[in-house]
């Protein structure tokens, strides 16, 4: 009878040991998954910050480029105004072209056709 009690205690101990081991390993697995999740969330937040910083830098560069393009556009407009007013002054004086073959070719191409 003593062997039966010993064997029953061994079986009950084995069952409790198995259940305890399962519970403990599940808890440690959950803990490792939680650590992994926290690490992934940290990496994601760092990546979001890097992307945000990159976009901010890109916006600054784009604003600078827009400003430079506006300045160039204003200078072109000013230059075009000066050149067109200078061209209008020279055509209003109706100066005869110098006896030059290229001048006669230019005049041939720039004459307007008579209106009908």
């Amino acid at each position: 009878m003593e062997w039966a009690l010993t064997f029953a205690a061994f079986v009950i101990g084995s069952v409790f040991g198995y259940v305890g081991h399962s519970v403990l390993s599940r808890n440690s697995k959950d803990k490792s998954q939680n650590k992994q999740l926290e690490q992934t969330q940290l990496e994601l937040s760092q990546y979001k910050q890097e992307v945000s910083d990159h976009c901010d830098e890109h916006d600054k560069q784009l604003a600078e480029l827009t400003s430079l393009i506006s300045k160039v556009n204003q200078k072109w407009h000013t230059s075009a105004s000066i050149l067109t007013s200078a061209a209008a002054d020279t055509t209003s004086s109706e100066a005869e072209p110098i006896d030059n073959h290229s001048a006669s070719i230019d005049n041939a191409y720039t004459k307007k056709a008579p209106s009908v």
Side-chain angles (χ1 to χ4, degrees), residues 82-108:
I82 292 170
L83 290 174
T84 54
S85 66
D89 290 344
T90 58
T91 45
S92 65
S93 67
E94 297 285 338
E96 288 293 320
I98 301 173
D99 190 21
N100 188 348
H101 180 65
S102 64
S104 65
I105 292 173
D106 288 343
N107 285 336

Side-chain angles (χ1 to χ4, degrees), residues 15-80:
V15 169
F16 281 133
Y18 177 76
V19 170
H21 175 68
S22 297
V23 169
L24 290 177
S25 86
R26 190 175 304 151
N27 285 342
S28 68
K29 190 183 284 186
D30 287 345
K31 287 180 183 179
S32 71
Q33 286 178 347
N34 285 339
K35 285 182 182 180
Q36 227 177 4
L37 178 63
E38 289 175 9
Q39 179 67 25
T40 305
Q41 287 175 340
L42 178 65
E43 290 173 0
L44 180 63
S45 67
Q46 288 174 345
Y47 180 73
K48 284 181 181 180
Q49 185 63 40
E50 289 174 5
V51 169
S52 176
D53 292 344
H54 177 75
C55 288
D56 289 342
E57 184 66 28
H58 190 265
D59 284 344
K60 288 178 186 177
Q61 290 176 348
L62 192 58
E64 289 176 16
L65 181 62
T66 303
S67 172
L68 290 173
I69 288 174
S70 295
K71 288 179 184 178
V72 168
N73 201 9
Q74 288 173 354
K75 288 184 180 186
W76 279 357
H77 181 68
T78 304
S79 298

Side-chain angles (χ1 to χ4, degrees), residues 107 109-114:
N107 285 336
Y109 287 115
T110 56
K111 288 183 181 175
K112 292 185 178 179

